[in-house]
Amino acid sequence: MSHILFLFTGLQSEASALRESKLVYGTQGGSVTFHLEERPDPTFQDLYWTFSSNRLAACELDKCTNYRENASVCNTTFSLELKNIAQTDDGEYNAVIIENDRKVKNISTHRLIVQAPVSKPVIHTSAVSSSNGTCNVTLNCTAKRGTSVSLQWDWTGIHHTAINGHNGSVLYFSLDPNAEGSFTCKAHNQVSNSSENVPVEKIKCFNSSENTNLVIIIVLILASVLLAIAVVKMTFQKHRRGSFNLPNNQRTSLLCRDKPALAATDILNYNHDDGTARCEEFPLSHIVT
């Protein structure tokens, strides 16, 4: 078989070039099965499934050997099944037989594209009223996950609405007060799809002047809070200085009450000019009772 394998390897590219690839899409993490496009002659000598010139499985009549953990070939139909597929499995898969006369024949070629499924789309709404009483709306649709995701808009039961245009994920339109219906964003790729819906009644239209007034109110509230904090802080500091009740330009010594009076005692020196205070040791004999 080693001699046949060597012959097969050398002629594989030529054999595979004779057959057009069949495009197959697979879901990431799922499984996919490649069926033979041409039933082999019962007298074939060997059958191989390959991927990027590497053997995945080899069959001799009714006995098959698998060479990759996630790949297996059915002994009766010779179909190839791949499990738990990933992006690294993208590529071309060939089924090749070696006939009794040593000729190499490609009987099946599949081109696999693995895609991650799309996530549920999210719709972001921006709506501002205009001078003529209508509401100018922008809907932006996004899908966080998925491979090669396509987005499109659909709407049902829409009345009193002018669709101004849409470009992929973004939809522009104008609503009047009597509008009704809903808008749907659809996200899809070749292996999955998902959608999100927004009814017209949930679209809140804001006046631009109202938004400006709201910002001004928030700024005034924040300024008032900061001013109140500053006043409280200044009052507290002034109260601490006044608690000593000492005249200006006078340095005074007071007993520090949290120190034990032994051979010497601690006094608190406070200077009203610079607001400093510290405890110092002072002989008991110098304290006037």
Side-chain angles (χ1 to χ4, degrees), residues 50 65 85 88 96 170 195 197 236 240 252 256-257:
T50 66
T65 303
I85 57 177
T88 53
V96 179
V170 183
S195 63
N197 178 275
F236 176 74
R240 284 189 66 184
T252 305
C256 291
R257 297 183 178 180

Side-chain angles (χ1 to χ4, degrees), residues 33-129:
T33 301
F34 304 131
H35 300 285
L36 294 181
E37 298 175 274
E38 180 181 338
R39 188 68 181 173
D41 190 297
T43 62
F44 77 89
Q45 189 169 352
D46 295 286
L47 183 148
Y48 297 93
W49 274 101
T50 66
F51 170 65
S52 298
S53 299
N54 297 317
R55 286 189 303 169
L56 297 178
C59 299
E60 297 180 15
L61 297 178
D62 60 348
K63 182 182 178 180
C64 294
T65 303
N66 303 311
Y67 297 104
R68 207 168 80 178
E69 185 177 353
N70 72 328
S72 61
V73 174
C74 177
N75 291 332
T76 56
T77 64
F78 304 111
S79 297
L80 174 66
E81 182 184 20
L82 299 178
K83 297 179 180 179
N84 194 27
I85 57 177
Q87 298 285 348
T88 53
D89 294 316
D90 274 4
E92 192 170 84
Y93 294 79
N94 291 284
V96 179
I97 62 171
I98 299 178
E99 299 176 326
N100 286 330
D101 57 1
R102 301 291 181 87
K103 289 183 178 179
V104 179
K105 183 179 181 181
N106 188 323
I107 60 174
S108 194
T109 299
H110 300 267
R111 173 80 171 107
L112 175 64
I113 299 178
V114 180
Q115 293 186 338
V118 300
S119 60
K120 190 176 182 64
V122 178
I123 299 176
H124 303 277
T125 304
S126 175
V128 179
S129 62

Side-chain angles (χ1 to χ4, degrees), residues 15 39 59 96 110 121 123 134 153 205 207 213 225 244 257 260 285:
R39 188 68 181 173
C59 299
V96 179
H110 300 267
I123 299 176
T134 61
W153 285 98
C205 197
N207 189 294
N213 293 336
V225 171
F244 289 96
R257 297 183 178 180
S285 59

Side-chain angles (χ1 to χ4, degrees), residues 165-198:
H166 58 91
N167 180 17
S169 62
V170 183
L171 177 66
Y172 310 93
F173 57 92
S174 299
L175 295 173
D176 71 16
N178 298 318
E180 56 186 33
S182 63
F183 294 88
T184 302
C185 175
K186 298 179 179 179
H188 63 89
N189 57 14
Q190 296 293 336
V191 299
S192 64
N193 62 81
S194 185
S195 63
E196 181 63 289
N197 178 275
V198 54

